[in-house]
Amino acid sequence: MSQGDEPVAGKRDPTPVAGLRWRVAVTGVLMFWESLWRITWRPASALALFLSLSLFDVWRVLPVLAHALSLFALLLYVSIVAAQGFRRLRYPDRRAILARLERDNQLAHHPLLALEDQQELGTQNPGARMLWRMHRERILRHLPPLRLKPPQPEVIRADIYGLRLITGVLLVSGAYAAGPHAFSRIVSGFSPLSFAPPNATRLEASRPPAV
C-alpha cells in the first residue's frame, strides 16, 4: 500500500443534506416513542382496567380479600412487564435512524448511509478525492426531499383483541358514571382496607331508625 492509500484517522466528511439534522432528531424521538409504547401498552391497559373497576365502584361489592389480591396481581404484572421491557429499551443510534428515514422515503441503495461513509483510501490522491466527491454529488443530485412519517408502533399486531380500545372505553365510561366521586373511588381502589369487611354492617347502618 502506498503512502497515498493510507487511511486518515478521525477525518469525517459531513453529510450536506439540508434539514437532515432536525429530521434525524425528530425521527430518533419517534422511534424511541414507538419502542416505549410497545413496552407500556400492556401494563397501561391493565391499569386502565383496574381504574375502570374502581370508578364503577366494583370493589365495594367484592370481598376485601378479592380486592387486595386484584391489586397485588396488578402491581406484580406491571412491575414484571415493565422491568422486562425497560431492560431492553435503547435510544436508536444514528445509523438506525438513517435507515428508518430511507425506508420511510422508499430510498433504494441506502443513499443516506452511503453519505455517512468516509474516504479511507487515497485521501492524498487528487484523482481519488475527485472520484469520491463526484460519487457523493451524484447521490445528492438523486436524493429527493425527505419526508417524516407519523410513528408506527405496530401495537395492533400484538393487540389482536383490541384490549386498548376496550379498556379505554371502560375508563371513560367509569369516569362519567363516577362523576364527582371519581377521585375518591380511585383512591379507594388502591386502599382495600378502606372498605369495611362486613357488608351486613353497612346495610344495617343504612336502615332508618325504628320509631
Side-chain angles (χ1 to χ4, degrees):
M1 180 183 297
S2 63
Q3 184 178 359
D5 291 332
E6 293 179 357
V8 178
K11 185 177 181 180
R12 188 174 186 82
D13 195 2
T15 306
V17 180
L20 182 62
R21 177 175 298 180
W22 73 264
R23 287 180 172 87
V24 167
V26 173
T27 303
V29 172
L30 294 179
M31 292 174 67
F32 183 78
W33 181 88
E34 291 172 353
S35 301
L36 186 63
W37 182 235
R38 283 192 289 267
I39 292 172
T40 57
W41 78 267
R42 289 184 177 88
S45 298
L47 179 60
L49 178 60
F50 186 88
L51 292 176
S52 302
L53 295 176
S54 301
L55 290 169
F56 281 113
D57 211 14
V58 172
W59 307 121
R60 186 174 296 277
V61 299
L62 293 179
V64 174
L65 180 60
H67 185 181
L69 290 177
S70 299
L71 179 59
F72 175 77
L74 170 70
L75 297 178
L76 182 63
Y77 175 76
V78 170
S79 300
I80 292 176
V81 175
Q84 291 177 346
F86 282 110
R87 192 160 49 240
R88 301 189 303 267
L89 184 63
R90 296 290 185 276
Y91 196 86
D93 58 26
R94 182 176 175 84
R95 294 190 67 85
I97 296 173
L98 293 176
R100 170 65 175 268
L101 283 171
E102 292 172 342
R103 185 170 66 254
D104 287 348
N105 289 273
Q106 299 180 346
L107 303 179
H109 310 300
H110 304 291
L112 297 180
L113 290 174
L115 289 172
E116 289 288 297
D117 294 337
Q118 52 185 316
Q119 184 178 0
E120 297 288 350
L121 303 176
T123 54
Q124 306 300 325
N125 187 317
R129 291 201 304 269
M130 183 182 66
L131 289 175
W132 182 258
R133 185 168 57 252
M134 292 174 60
H135 164 68
R136 292 173 57 82
E137 291 174 352
R138 183 171 61 253
I139 294 176
L140 290 171
R141 281 198 305 270
H142 293 87
L143 192 66
L146 299 178
R147 296 175 291 106
L148 296 180
K149 285 191 174 183
Q152 305 168 19
E154 299 180 350
V155 174
I156 192 171
R157 296 183 180 180
D159 187 16
I160 58 177
Y161 299 108
L163 297 179
R164 294 168 301 147
L165 178 61
I166 294 173
T167 55
V169 171
L170 286 174
L171 187 60
V172 173
S173 302
Y176 178 80
H181 306 290
F183 181 75
S184 61
R185 290 183 181 182
I186 289 176
V187 172
S188 299
F190 289 92
S191 306
L193 297 180
S194 63
F195 296 103
N199 294 331
T201 303
R202 288 197 295 270
L203 292 175
E204 187 67 27
S206 63
R207 293 178 181 175
V211 179

